[in-house]
Amino acid sequence: MTNNLTWVEVGPAANIPQQGARTLQTQTDRIAIFRTLDDQIFALLDRCPHKQGPLAQGIVHGHFVTCPLHNMVFSLETGEAQGPDDGCAAKVECKVIDGMVRVGLTELQAGLRHAG
Amino acid sequence: MNHVPANIKAAKSRLIVIGNGMAGMRTVEEILNRAPDKYDITVFGAEPRVNYNRIMLSPLLSGEKNFDEIVINTPEWYRENNIHLYSGDPVVEIDRIRKVVISKSGTETEYDRLLLATGSDPIIIPVPGHKLSGVVTFRDVDDVDVMLGAAAKGGPAVVIGGGLLGLEAAVGLQARGMDVTVLHLAGHVMERQLDPSAGYLLAQELERRGITVITEADTAEIVGTETVTGVRLKDGRMIPADLVVMAVGIRPNGRLAADTGIAVERGIVVDDVMTTSDPAIFAVGECVQHRGQCYGLVAPLFEMAKSCADHLTEIETDGYAGSVTSTKLKVTGVDVFSAGDFSGGGNTEEIVFRDAGRGVYKRIVLEDGKIKGAVLYGDTTDGGWYFQLMKDGQDVTELRDTLAFGQAFAGGSAGNPLDAVAALPDDAEICGCNGVCKGSIVSAITEKGLTTLDEVKGHTKASASCGSCAGLVENLLAATLGGEYQAATVKPICTCTDHDHDSVRRLIIAKGLKSMPAIMQELEWKSSDGCHVCRPALNYYLLAAWPGEYVDHGASRFINERVHANIQKDGTYSVVPRMWGGLTNPRELRAIADVADKFDIPTVKVTGGQRIDLLGVKKEDLPAVWADLNAAGMVSGHAYGKSLRTVKTCVGQEWCRFGTQMSMSMGVELEKMTWGSWMPHKFKMAVSGCPRNCAEATIKDFGVVATDGGWDLHVGGNGGIHVRATELLCKVTTDEEVKEYCGAFIQLYREEARYLERTAPWIERVGLKHVQERVVDDAENRKALFDRFMISQQTAQKDPWAERASEGVDAHEFKPLSMVAAE
């Protein structure tokens, strides 16, 4: 699937607050784009696998985010839930080129093909 | 003149102890352990307080401990053991013929046995100016109070004396924000405990911390007219100072003994069972001279206490044979250890190990295959081991090649601390401060069924003083109890740190930590930037400690406090505007109705706190919703915050035929005074206009109930899982008093409670009396608390909605990103 990604630019990394996140609405869902204290950028679907909590609203620490609804902690690198909890938040491809954040969307997310 | 008659009904001998310090009380404890009913004990102390751990004055100065933590024996302990304590009433005369002591207040008390534990006096160099105000020694809690008073103003300080005590004073004052210069007569600091190399490393570390060290500095004069302004050296240099601490040494205090004709040389002369030249009089501690030696460290005092107690309870004893001592500097982050004679030369050999990268220096001096002395800097883990080998006089020839690498290497125990502690012999010393060996700890654990570090401390005193052997004691517990032992003494805030809430709060103030990175660096956080548990707590502690100065860190707040609305289970938000005292009007209600229509808000609900909740607002709409509510004069109700929530009121005397006071206007005034204040947890108030209490004020954090003559103030109630009714704080008469007590109570809660601790569990933990002592009984403290609250309110009372609706604060929060380009 990775080879069919559509890369979109969403502006400079500096527009995302350190230890914070912003969201990007796609055709099918919402993506949370995080910036950590060491200025790395990560992206997950903005939906906790537990009760669909908006991960972009969570507290960002190290390369982790804590879901605001029930405090589950997810790795920003892999999306895996940490500690005793099971579950995995969906990872979204992203990269920074010349300070600009690019996100890799699937064809559905990019609206190139309609669902169903 | 008072006369206390002999206790005629008791067959017990009467023991009087002069000196309520560590040596005297340790002897009393040892006596009680051996023969609790043998003596009728009376203690005279010069200081007006219970006895405390004098070697903990340094952490007290630096703020790492508070007074309660360094108390050894509480007033209850004296009562439980039937000890009569006269504190603040020193003995001024001993009449050996009549066997009575006479105290300053004139009380005469008879004795059968008398124990002198008068300690030592700090040496004051009689240079000109040594009596100026601002010149202190570093010997008791009163000295620390003077030093703290000076440190509160900042400015320059000079410490005369670069020995153990002087350096601890210097580090403490520097941590409290003073510019400190240490003047030391010898060529390097701590020359009696350290060799020049270790002294150099230590001086470098002190300089790195911002302390100036001047060696070979000979003080000529302390300058000033009434108050000290500086210190002039013999070479003419002038060093400015608002505070001068003299820490050049101590001198045994044998005055009382000498006055009564007992043999005193440098100290009170005693034999091996601590008897003075008068067979009914004994002496222990820093005041004595034993086999020509005087001691200024704690370990020898405790050894003396044991021998003396053996003798006084008629237990066969070998007596005290003198002490071999070791020293440790009690400065956080600086590890220095020394023991024995490390001067070298003669027939001695040396093993030296240096690791410049880690800042480690070890020097072990050998003579005839045995350790004669050791100096360790930077890594003192093996200090106890070298010390033990030295005291045992063990031949270390076979260990020689690897001696410098320490016990783990030599013992082949591969560094497993449990194996290492299990391998120690029974007479190995675990606690150097209190002279407790492994055997006594293990037998206390097995015989008394001890399972925690605190119990071991209580029964054996091991690790009860400086605490540096606490890890060893825990290992002993684990090795003795096996799987039954569970270590848990302090509960750290989270896995990012070993500190608990209280120590972090104290260190923020003591070390002047003003940012989150500063806390994490100084207190050695184990994660790069904390986690969702510690960051919100630290953010609150910083806000509370430095009002108006610390800038709130949004990324460390839970989403509700970051966007000033309550997140709901579907990711939308709820919005609750403030209704002062539960009052509203048509204009506000119209505005709320219009907002609900305009933004398609699906649910409008009346809350339990007498206001209106708009539920289901989309995050992007929040600023516009707030703008409309602001336009109608409404501000944030902080329904989402660890902060002042609502002030619920009944209609009171304004309308009610039973009302005795104006509860609505009181509620409005209280809410206007307290809104916007951040707290450890949510905080609710209520005001009822008569004792029927329709506003349910007795399940609030602060509840006000009107009576005929005034107001009853209640605290510490809440609803929720564990319903708790309030306790009565006090009764007041005027409206102004209600406000002052309210502000003072809130400030005490803000300063003392742990983050996420509501007033109910806080009060259960500290006790209502603790709160009453600070808020009710002490008018000056109440005023000070209230003033601090109002100062923090000056910067806290800013409507967060207005800032976001019209001033563009945190705009990124409310606007999603958009795709600016695609390829």
Side-chain angles (χ1 to χ4, degrees), chain B residues 193-255:
Chain B
Q193 292 89 5
L194 298 182
D195 61 11
S197 296
Y200 167 77
L201 286 170
L202 178 57
Q204 256 199 335
E205 169 63 22
L206 295 171
E207 298 266 356
R208 195 190 62 76
R209 291 182 179 210
I211 295 171
T212 309
V213 179
I214 305 180
T215 52
E216 295 174 348
D218 201 353
T219 303
E221 184 190 359
I222 299 174
V223 184
T225 44
E226 277 176 23
T227 308
V228 59
T229 54
V231 174
R232 198 167 49 75
L233 300 179
K234 288 206 174 137
D235 62 14
R237 270 184 287 179
M238 176 78 187
I239 296 120
D242 298 338
L243 174 77
V244 172
V245 180
M246 277 216 202
V248 289
I250 53 169
R251 177 183 291 136
N253 174 4
R255 281 188 304 278

Side-chain angles (χ1 to χ4, degrees), chain B residues 122 738 779 805:
Chain B
V738 174

